[in-house]
Amino acid sequence: MMNPEVLLLQRKIADYPEQIDRMQKRYSLVLAPKAETIESAIKGLNAYIIQLKVNSSSFTKMGASISADLERLEQMIQEETAGGKELSESLQMSHVQLQHAAATVETYIRSIDAQLDSAHSALETLTLARKHKKTLDVVNLLSMIEKGDGYKV
């Protein structure tokens, strides 16, 4: 008969693939913005960054939970094998499942972080472009005033 604490942990571990799948589906709904103007692109990028941060936070939280469970499972494995007993196949499978879940979550976190870096760079570039456009508009307006294009100031 297995330890109830081990069974409880294994049930939690067995639920990770489904949780990761739900998070992957939610993450797949985050699409990079497309825009015609600088202003709409900036607004779209801000919304995109928020969505990425929410997903990153979810994966990070799950990663922390997985790490804690992995640490606890490894403790249980040490306790079981300390008496010279052979490690049960059930615990071996749970260990592999947790390692796989941890690697999957870490991959998503790194991917999202890379997307966030790119989005922030694009946002900085667009913000700078907006400032340059405003400067150019002022220069053009001053040029029109100096030439006297029929408008009186």
Side-chain angles (χ1 to χ4, degrees):
M1 180 76 184
M2 293 214 52
N3 180 349
E5 188 178 357
V6 172
L7 291 174
L8 186 62
L9 183 58
Q10 286 180 322
R11 283 189 187 128
K12 186 177 178 186
I13 293 168
D15 193 40
Y16 280 132
E18 185 179 324
Q19 290 177 19
I20 291 171
D21 184 53
R22 283 193 307 264
M23 288 175 32
Q24 287 170 330
K25 286 178 182 171
R26 188 177 72 208
Y27 172 59
S28 71
L29 297 175
V30 177
L31 300 175
K34 295 178 182 167
E36 299 288 326
T37 66
I38 292 174
E39 291 301 320
S40 63
I42 289 173
K43 287 178 185 176
L45 267 175
N46 282 325
Y48 178 66
I49 288 170
I50 290 170
Q51 291 174 332
L52 288 176
K53 285 181 179 180
V54 166
N55 279 281
S56 178
S57 175
S58 295
F59 277 108
T60 301
K61 184 178 176 184
M62 178 172 277
S65 178
I66 289 171
S67 293
D69 289 344
L70 186 58
E71 187 176 309
R72 181 64 190 130
L73 182 65
E74 287 174 348
Q75 258 181 351
M76 290 176 180
I77 288 172
Q78 283 181 348
E79 290 170 7
E80 185 172 314
T81 57
K85 290 172 38 177
E86 190 174 314
L87 185 61
S88 71
E89 187 176 325
S90 173
L91 283 178
Q92 288 175 356
M93 290 295 289
S94 294
H95 193 250
V96 169
Q97 280 181 308
L98 269 179
Q99 288 175 327
H100 181 266
T104 301
V105 167
E106 184 62 30
T107 300
Y108 274 94
I109 290 170
R110 287 182 186 195
S111 173
I112 293 170
D113 286 347
Q115 285 179 293
L116 277 168
D117 288 344
S118 296
H120 282 294
S121 293
L123 186 60
E124 288 175 18
T125 302
L126 285 170
T127 303
L128 187 59
R130 178 175 59 186
K131 287 179 185 176
H132 286 302
K133 184 181 180 313
K134 286 180 181 179
T135 303
L136 186 61
D137 289 345
V138 169
V139 169
N140 287 338
L141 182 60
L142 287 174
S143 173
M144 286 172 54
I145 291 171
E146 286 176 1
K147 288 181 183 176
D149 289 345
Y151 296 102
K152 292 189 178 189
V153 180

